[in-house]
Amino acid sequence: MQDSPDITDLRPSRPVSRRDALRYAAAASALAGFGSAAAGAGAPTASAAAPTLIDFAMRQVPAQDIRAAGHSGVINYVSTSRPGSSFGAKPITLPYARQLTAAGLVIVSNYQYGKPGGTAPSDFTRGQAGGVADARTAWTLHTAAGGGQSAPVFFSVDDDIDRETWNNLALPWFRGINSVIGVQRTGIYGGIRPCQWAAADGVIGRSRSPGYVWAWQTRSWSQGQIFPAAVLYQRIVSTASNPGPVVGGLEVDVNDVLAQDCGQWNMHP
């Protein structure tokens, strides 16, 4: 997630395999017409591979600028800023959500409060009780902004964790989340391995697109591989040394949409 100006650089990753590239092309064909932003008169195409959503934290990016850049919508926070920080896009507000919707843009919800080395610890380290608390906060903010009642919230594992950390910390956290909002409304953001583990352990829900689950995979810590069941892939992560594209005067992350149903509010009223 792009919620800090001092985010660390990505570790090197191998190129996406030919098999994944072919899958990308198939997804792009199947997703033709996703959203209405790319269909706007004179709007440039943001990505030849797939429709794209952007994520950002510093401030709200005007809907017209998102449309002008050719993106189909946003992944926005349903969490507040950590102590000592003040991010203008955390949490998403009802007026901003209405602005985006009126412009024909889609919205997907994400929760992240803490981060490695931040003023609050990574959310997944807080165990089952922490998952209960985080889910309650996320759902309150999601619904206050007009989020769909059956839409998922993607909860962040913004770190390179191993299986032991997953089993002992992250998995109980997700089980706490499930106890509040249910498995079907729970999604994950993370590298390829946590996405796979979450799906295998049954703590994230399923997309209406057959074969897909609520996994938003980042290219970080993914060794150039893409989880076949992921609905979203964070292809560009803006860092100090590798800035993302500028939209509305703000550097943003860019995410490819891999399934027609990627958890957008308008498909889950």
Side-chain angles (χ1 to χ4, degrees), residues 135-145:
R136 288 173 176 164
T137 298
W139 200 249
T140 296
L141 295 172
H142 170 89
T143 55

Side-chain angles (χ1 to χ4, degrees), residues 1 75-78 108-112 153-154 156 189 216:
M1 289 300 298
I75 306 169
N76 218 148
Y77 290 98
V78 288
V108 174
S109 289
N110 167 250
Y111 181 91
Q112 183 177 5
V153 175
F154 292 82
S156 300
Y189 165 89
W216 170 21

Side-chain angles (χ1 to χ4, degrees), residues 160-216:
D160 186 17
I161 66 172
D162 58 20
R163 188 56 189 258
E164 182 178 4
T165 302
W166 169 262
N167 288 340
N168 295 332
L169 293 176
L171 182 56
W173 180 62
F174 273 100
R175 295 206 190 284
I177 293 166
N178 294 164
S179 73
V180 176
I181 64 174
V183 171
Q184 184 52 33
R185 292 189 294 193
T186 303
I188 185 174
Y189 165 89
I192 187 169
R193 294 187 302 168
C195 288
Q196 292 171 323
W197 297 332
D201 288 334
V203 293
I204 56 174
R206 294 185 174 276
S207 165
R208 294 175 183 172
S209 298
Y212 293 89
V213 296
W214 298 139
W216 170 21

Side-chain angles (χ1 to χ4, degrees), residues 122-143:
S122 295
D123 302 324
F124 69 85
T125 65
R126 303 194 313 112
Q128 185 163 351
V132 168
D134 292 342
R136 288 173 176 164
T137 298
W139 200 249
T140 296
L141 295 172
H142 170 89
T143 55

Side-chain angles (χ1 to χ4, degrees), residues 171-266:
L171 182 56
W173 180 62
F174 273 100
R175 295 206 190 284
I177 293 166
N178 294 164
S179 73
V180 176
I181 64 174
V183 171
Q184 184 52 33
R185 292 189 294 193
T186 303
I188 185 174
Y189 165 89
I192 187 169
R193 294 187 302 168
C195 288
Q196 292 171 323
W197 297 332
D201 288 334
V203 293
I204 56 174
R206 294 185 174 276
S207 165
R208 294 175 183 172
S209 298
Y212 293 89
V213 296
W214 298 139
W216 170 21
Q217 183 191 338
T218 175
R219 68 183 291 267
S220 306
W221 319 301
S222 291
Q223 296 79 48
Q225 300 175 354
I226 299 173
F227 179 36
V231 292
L232 293 163
Y233 179 68
Q234 191 178 54
R235 175 169 47 86
I236 298 176
V237 183
S238 184
T239 66
S241 60
N242 293 289
V246 176
V247 179
L250 187 68
E251 293 171 4
V252 301
D253 299 336
V254 179
N255 305 272
D256 292 326
V257 177
L258 303 181
Q260 185 72 42
D261 176 14
C262 64
Q264 62 269 43
W265 294 2
N266 61 316

